[in-house]
Amino acid sequence: MTTYNVQPLRDKTEIDDFLFWLRRTSNPKRDVFLFVFGINTGLRMSDIVKLKVGDIRGDVNPIIVEKKTGKKRQLFLGPLQEQIQEYTKGMADSDWLFPSRNGRGSNHIQVQTVYKLYDKVAKQLGRGDIGTHTIRKTFGYHYYRKTHDIAMLMYIFNHSSESVTKRYIGITQDEIGNSLEGFKIGF
């Protein structure tokens, strides 16, 4: 699993196409909610899969500890409250938010399992640039397109520089492409 060539989903059509295939998995309710939760929070997959229902239910702004950095991060789940309530209906606070099928709820889905799932969806879409980081990059890409606040996004992602953040979300490539559109010399 590498983030080298992994890209964000850049528009509503790409997101809708991804959701189309997630709705056809063996566990569509979980898989769709995991994706939607991810693209709306910008969390790493390793942090998402380890959440329990009680970590997010009943709290609009829960605080989690990120696995990679060990730092606390506040989530802003106000816009997702309806989806959270619907998804967690009938679940106990102690249940995994994203249970593994193999563990029959006794364990959470593994990052590698999500990677394999996303790889299957990518094949259905004819793409080779989708992985578990796609959801985090999708969040960042759309956040930046909406706010143009690269400094805040850098802070959210805990990146060391604006250039790292822009490159991570694919904005640098977009900007290069846009600047070179129609550019030619010597013809």
Side-chain angles (χ1 to χ4, degrees):
M1 291 183 304
T2 180
T3 61
Y4 178 69
N5 190 34
V6 173
Q7 295 296 313
L9 300 173
R10 286 180 163 81
D11 59 42
K12 184 176 179 345
T13 301
E14 288 184 345
I15 291 169
D16 288 346
D17 289 348
F18 202 84
L19 285 166
F20 174 86
W21 290 107
L22 287 177
R23 288 187 183 104
R24 281 143 185 82
T25 66
S26 60
N27 197 339
K29 182 180 175 185
R30 179 199 64 196
D31 298 341
V32 166
F33 185 70
L34 186 149
F35 174 77
V36 170
F37 186 82
I39 65 173
N40 281 281
T41 62
L43 289 173
R44 289 179 186 87
M45 188 59 66
S46 58
D47 293 322
I48 293 172
V49 298
K50 294 192 175 178
L51 291 171
K52 297 255 183 164
V53 172
D55 293 334
I56 68 163
R57 183 164 53 194
D59 192 349
V60 177
N61 300 115
I63 296 174
I64 65 157
V65 177
E66 292 181 321
K67 180 182 175 190
K68 182 176 179 180
T69 65
K71 294 182 179 180
K72 290 182 179 180
R73 174 154 171 213
Q74 185 174 22
L75 304 180
F76 297 89
L77 303 178
L80 295 178
Q81 286 306 297
E82 185 178 324
Q83 290 83 1
I84 290 169
Q85 288 175 10
E86 182 180 319
Y87 176 75
T88 61
K89 187 182 281 186
M91 297 170 82
D93 282 352
S94 60
D95 289 344
W96 292 107
L97 190 58
F98 302 105
S100 167
R101 279 187 347 162
N102 298 338
R104 298 179 192 250
S106 63
N107 203 356
H108 60 79
I109 191 171
Q110 300 298 308
V111 173
Q112 184 66 28
T113 304
V114 178
Y115 175 79
K116 289 176 184 176
L117 173 67
Y118 286 9
D119 191 51
K120 285 180 185 175
V121 171
K123 286 182 173 101
Q124 294 293 331
L125 296 172
R127 294 182 61 159
D129 60 354
I130 291 175
T132 56
H133 278 266
T134 293
I135 62 169
R136 184 168 158 89
K137 289 182 177 195
T138 298
F139 166 86
Y141 183 87
H142 289 275
Y143 178 89
Y144 177 73
R145 284 289 182 215
K146 181 178 180 187
T147 66
H148 296 282
D149 191 345
I150 197 68
M152 183 59 70
L153 185 57
M154 185 180 101
Y155 178 77
I156 291 168
F157 279 168
N158 197 29
H159 285 166
S160 58
S161 72
E162 291 182 7
S163 64
V164 166
T165 302
K166 280 186 166 186
R167 190 171 53 250
Y168 181 77
I169 63 174
I171 292 294
T172 303
Q173 279 304 117
D174 286 359
E175 289 173 347
I176 291 169
N178 290 341
S179 73
L180 292 174
E181 191 172 317
F183 181 84
K184 60 183 178 180
I185 299 173
F187 291 100

